[in-house]
Amino acid sequence: MHDILPEDQKYFRKIVEVAEGILHFYGFGKIDIPVLEQTELFSKGTGLSTDIVQKQMYNLKTKGDDLLTLRPEFTPGIVRAYVEHGMVSLPQPIKLYAVGPVFRYETPQAGRFREFNQLDIEIIGEKSPVKDAQLIQIFYNILKELKIKNLMVEVNSIGDSQCRSYYKKLLMSYLRSREHSVCGDCRRRMKENSLRFLDCKEEKCQPIKAQAPQIIDHLCEECHSHFKEVLEFLDEIEVPYRLNPYLVRGLDYYTKTVFEIFKEPESKGETAPIALAGGGRYDGLVKLLGGKDAPACGGAAGIERIVYLMKTEEEKKQKEVSLQGSQVFLAQLGDLAKRRSLKLLEEFRKARIDVAESFGRDSLRAQLGKANNMKTLYTLILGQREALEGTVIIKDMVSGRQETVKMEKAVEQIKKKLKK
Ligand code: AMP
């Protein structure tokens, strides 16, 4: 769990502002639901076989013996509100969004918190595949408007209760003969929800996964044509996507379409894609939670992860601007020179001339390389000899010419050169 410090508030505000702009255009209304709900809502809604219910919920018992849970996701709470407030009698679909914290007992690591904020979007009471595509488009557009680059949507269909149960049997019979080759988690999953085997990340399960039957080949006619239409709509609205036959999303309530949106790595430094949003269709959940049969779809985006990307992008830009801003670089070699350089840097600061430096680097070659990359016009070089003599070399980075000047004249000389 973490604090959101004053300097980060603007990112959270910006995300909500952009999201609301888009959501209001599409006719969504905001809903706030309690942070605490009956535990049963999640064990029934999210599902007993899910990691969330099995391992990740913060549960508590009240003095009156009620079992309550800090919401680990929004969907069951919003569906409960839909049922409780009789929204089924209003013109359908009901389009809702919510923003706020959710709680999951996770192993904390980079980008994975125990309390984090989600932007949740739900469309209840409409079975058309247009809605699945529109939901994906809305998340995609929000992320794009927030200037998140390299976005990729992954989609899959996990069928409905009928074709999925047939597929699960098929998958089970495939897995049974390989039970001893899969990881311990997957052996457990085989008993509870064999579909979860498909999103196992363990290395030893990968070759078995690659040979496994794929659900997409076993969808019933209705699910097949629903999925085909979702993809056609995505093509039409030019949302880039990729089919991922292993995407199952680990929640019990999904039917037909499931999706995730990632930011793919841009450079070698970034290794793994970052999951920013995910969701799908859940045609059976409203009924399961006591309402009339109402088809629906929804999803959630992780706000902290978007904030992280927005901050990284801003830092990158700031660095570029500051690098472009310096026309002079100060390179030094040796202890005495380093000390003198600090003093010289101060002189430049007082004269309001931007000077870049890399005092952390000791090799002159590395420092000159950096000055070169930054495309500075002049590099001041202060070696041991110059430090002893009280001089400094000014190197013209364009012509390569060098001249030695008295240290106290350095600022004046550079000023003159920059004015030319
Ligand atoms: P989920 O509700 O698991 O589908 O997650 C939806 C989105 O919430 C993910 O794509 C992530 O961006 C974000 N998210 C999920 N779990 C965490 C977590 N523990 N910490 C931060 N963000 C998370």
Side-chain angles (χ1 to χ4, degrees):
M1 299 194 184
H2 62 114
D3 304 308
I4 302 172
L5 298 172
E7 61 265 31
D8 286 347
Q9 296 288 343
K10 63 174 179 188
Y11 300 102
F12 284 79
R13 268 201 307 274
K14 175 84 185 166
I15 293 168
V16 175
E17 189 188 297
V18 164
E20 287 190 330
I22 292 176
L23 288 164
H24 290 164
F25 173 82
Y26 286 106
F28 283 77
K30 188 176 184 202
I31 184 165
D32 285 318
I33 55 165
V35 171
L36 270 177
E37 296 265 9
Q38 302 280 349
T39 301
E40 196 193 359
L41 177 71
F42 302 108
S43 44
K44 215 167 155 185
T46 310
L48 281 173
S49 79
T50 61
D51 278 354
I52 288 187
V53 173
Q54 283 186 357
K55 306 182 201 163
Q56 297 184 325
M57 295 207 305
Y58 285 92
N59 298 324
L60 64 100
K61 199 172 182 180
T62 65
K63 283 181 194 155
D65 277 349
D66 283 331
L67 290 177
L68 303 181
T69 295
L70 282 173
R71 64 181 180 210
E73 58 150 340
F74 276 98
T75 308
I78 293 182
V79 170
R80 177 201 47 70
Y82 172 92
V83 174
E84 213 170 287
H85 298 281
M87 291 187 212
V88 69
S89 54
L90 301 173
Q92 304 293 299
I94 301 291
K95 300 177 183 175
L96 299 168
Y97 73 93
V99 184
V102 293
F103 303 83
R104 293 182 196 169
Y105 188 81
E106 306 242 25
T107 311
Q109 48 187 286
R112 197 166 281 282
F113 302 105
R114 289 179 171 176
E115 178 190 14
F116 58 99
N117 287 274
Q118 281 192 335
L119 163 70
D120 185 272
I121 306 175
E122 311 288 346
I123 306 173
I124 309 177
E126 166 92 52
K127 66 173 191 212
S128 164
V130 185
K131 291 295 158 209
D132 311 36
Q134 208 174 39
L135 179 71
I136 296 173
Q137 182 193 28
I138 290 171
F139 277 114
Y140 182 78
N141 283 347
I142 292 172
L143 293 167
K144 245 184 115 177
E145 201 167 316
L146 289 167
K147 305 205 167 48
I148 310 290
K149 293 186 205 140
N150 272 28
L151 291 172
M152 177 49 75
V153 178
E154 288 194 351
V155 270
N156 192 21
S157 172
I158 54 169
D160 58 16
S161 54
Q162 280 174 18
C163 54
R164 185 159 64 218
S165 67
Y166 168 74
Y167 170 74
K168 273 182 167 176
K169 274 186 207 144
L170 210 71
L171 183 63
M172 267 307 281
S173 73
Y174 169 82
L175 286 177
R176 218 169 275 128
S177 56
R178 293 158 181 87
E179 193 172 344
H180 298 293
S181 315
V182 299
C183 71
D185 259 354
C186 283
R187 273 201 290 279
R188 179 177 56 79
R189 284 174 186 144
M190 279 169 67
K191 289 195 195 90
E192 293 160 356
N193 182 358
S194 55
L195 217 57
R196 294 289 314 282
F197 162 74
L198 295 178
D199 66 7
C200 176
K201 305 280 184 295
E202 280 294 319
E203 212 160 295
K204 68 188 292 195
C205 295
Q206 301 314 305
I208 304 170
K209 213 162 97 171
Q211 301 290 322
Q214 295 193 349
I215 189 156
I216 213 88
D217 301 323
H218 300 280
L219 294 176
C220 64
E221 216 173 300
E222 195 205 316
C223 290
H224 186 268
S225 78
H226 184 98
F227 191 45
K228 199 168 142 253
E229 281 184 64
V230 173
L231 300 183
E232 281 167 3
F233 284 125
L234 289 178
D235 285 332
E236 190 73 27
I237 53 185
E238 293 179 5
V239 170
Y241 66 86
R242 161 167 82 207
L243 297 179
N244 177 357
Y246 303 125
L247 186 67
V248 289
R249 299 222 1 101
L251 298 183
D252 284 359
Y253 53 63
Y254 285 121
T255 49
K256 299 181 177 165
T257 319
V258 285
F259 71 91
E260 277 195 46
I261 306 182
F262 295 92
K263 182 199 175 279
E264 301 222 283
E266 273 174 71
S267 60
K268 277 185 194 155
E270 301 169 17
T271 46
I274 301 175
L276 297 177
R281 180 159 279 283
Y282 51 91
D283 287 345
L285 187 61
V286 181
K287 193 167 180 199
L288 185 74
L289 294 181
K292 285 196 184 141
D293 219 353
C297 59
I303 296 186
E304 274 76 358
R305 293 196 188 165
I306 304 172
V307 168
Y308 165 77
L309 291 176
M310 287 167 76
K311 277 177 81 173
T312 322
E313 195 56 33
E314 199 172 290
E315 277 162 18
K316 234 196 293 178
K317 268 203 196 124
Q318 268 168 5
K319 242 186 219 163
E320 274 165 22
V321 169
S322 73
L323 288 185
Q324 279 163 6
S326 309
Q327 294 174 308
V328 186
F329 190 92
L330 176 54
Q332 43 69 40
L333 193 67
D335 283 346
L336 183 61
K338 198 176 274 187
R339 267 180 275 146
R340 291 271 151 89
S341 298
L342 287 174
K343 222 172 127 206
L344 190 58
L345 197 63
E346 266 311 286
E347 299 300 319
F348 277 98
R349 189 187 62 75
K350 281 182 205 152
R352 295 180 190 277
I353 299 175
D354 267 346
V355 175
E357 43 78 16
S358 184
F359 289 166
R361 287 187 166 92
D362 285 329
S363 134
L364 189 59
R365 216 171 125 205
Q367 293 178 73
L368 290 178
K370 188 161 181 212
N372 225 358
N373 288 342
M374 287 166 64
K375 303 206 176 352
T376 48
L377 296 176
Y378 300 99
T379 298
L380 298 159
I381 304 170
L382 236 170
Q384 201 66 6
R385 184 167 140 200
E386 287 75 26
L388 284 170
E389 286 177 354
T391 58
V392 59
I393 298 169
I394 301 178
K395 180 174 170 146
D396 183 321
M397 297 298 279
V398 182
S399 68
R401 241 172 293 160
Q402 296 192 174
E403 60 178 305
T404 304
V405 299
K406 284 264 171 224
M407 206 178 301
E408 57 272 22
K409 298 269 183 217
V411 173
E412 197 183 307
Q413 286 292 322
I414 288 289
K415 237 188 211 167
K416 254 196 229 161
K417 287 178 189 292
L418 291 176
K419 263 193 197 144
K420 270 187 203 163

